[in-house]
Amino acid sequence: MPALNLPEFSVLVLCGGKSSRMGRDKALLELAGETLLERTIRLGKALGARQVLVSRNQPGFIQDQIKDAGPMAGISAALSYCDSRWLLVLPVDMPLLSTEALEPLLTETLGAQQAGFIAGFPLPVLLENTPALNQALDRTLTSVTVSRSLQRQWQQLGLPQLPLPVPPAFQNCNDPASFAAIRAELNPYPEPKATPTTGLCDDSISR
């Protein structure tokens, strides 16, 4: 991605879900010899983030303080580790995301130094790491009656919804069928199976 002269920012990779519809850990699914987690971390670095954080309920990663509370809990837990004013949150299950696909969002948000997300897509999102954001997430997470929908939370916080075109890169993979479709899109012409050999070579020909 060409230099956009943007303010410094951190990236948070969200991969703390149970992957119940996928039937296996989405973060460890592989595309082109790279796990989705590795792929998203690499993207964060390619975007120029000064820091790449990972929300994942496994040892060695940032773990949710409130269990089974969805992606909002992952964001909330990661905010105290974020050393930037701005935090770009990327889901691990959008493996087609690229620097080019995210450039309009970053230009419209970081370029204007304001938080925001693309209308209809609560993720990815650029957040401003402020006490007000922390408090709002805490109130939602500790309430037994308030919806933990990210879309609703961003609306309540007054985050701008950007009317940007959504490229095909924003498709996510929540189940085996959607992941297979994405893999086919990345590799539409799989390698043909090798033809079995007869086992003969020059040295096996009798003289």
Side-chain angles (χ1 to χ4, degrees):
M1 184 174 72
L4 298 176
N5 195 29
L6 298 173
E8 287 189 338
F9 65 100
S10 297
V11 159
L12 170 63
V13 180
L14 275 183
C15 53
K18 294 183 176 180
S19 304
S20 54
R21 281 183 285 175
M22 183 65 71
R24 53 182 296 199
D25 191 341
K26 284 189 290 188
L28 300 183
L29 293 173
E30 288 194 7
L31 283 174
E34 190 177 37
T35 67
L36 298 195
L37 176 55
E38 292 168 339
R39 193 179 186 90
T40 314
I41 291 173
R42 177 170 55 82
L43 173 61
K45 293 177 179 178
L47 289 168
R50 61 175 291 176
Q51 173 190 38
V52 178
L53 305 169
V54 178
S55 166
R56 179 167 167 76
N57 292 314
Q58 298 286 341
F61 300 98
I62 300 172
Q63 299 186 43
D64 298 353
Q65 299 302 305
I66 300 178
K67 303 302 181 184
D68 302 322
M72 190 180 296
I75 296 172
S76 177
L79 286 175
S80 62
Y81 294 87
C82 178
D83 61 11
S84 306
R85 175 185 174 188
W86 302 103
L87 179 65
L88 177 66
V89 183
L90 300 177
V92 78
D93 60 0
M94 285 187 180
L96 297 181
L97 282 178
S98 64
T99 56
E100 293 76 17
L102 290 167
E103 183 177 333
L105 175 62
L106 290 175
T107 301
E108 293 292 328
T109 54
L110 271 175
Q113 295 199 43
Q114 65 175 15
F117 63 105
I118 297 176
F121 281 78
L123 294 173
V125 61
L126 182 79
L127 300 172
E128 186 174 6
N129 186 11
T130 63
L133 173 63
N134 277 273
Q135 292 164 11
L137 296 183
D138 284 344
R139 283 195 302 270
T140 300
L141 288 167
T142 55
S143 171
V144 295
T145 59
V146 177
S147 167
R148 290 168 178 166
S149 160
L150 291 183
Q151 178 93 10
R152 182 172 298 180
Q153 184 72 77
W154 305 156
Q155 291 171 341
Q156 290 175 346
L157 287 168
L159 269 61
Q161 298 187 58
L162 309 172
L164 295 173
V166 177
F170 277 62
Q171 57 186 302
N172 58 15
C173 53
N174 286 320
D175 52 48
S178 57
F179 179 65
I182 287 174
R183 182 156 49 188
E185 189 169 338
L186 284 175
N187 185 24
Y189 305 109
E191 292 290 328
K193 293 182 179 179
T195 303
T197 62
T198 60
L200 296 178
C201 62
D202 288 343
D203 288 340
S204 67
I205 300 174
S206 58
R207 293 178 172 84

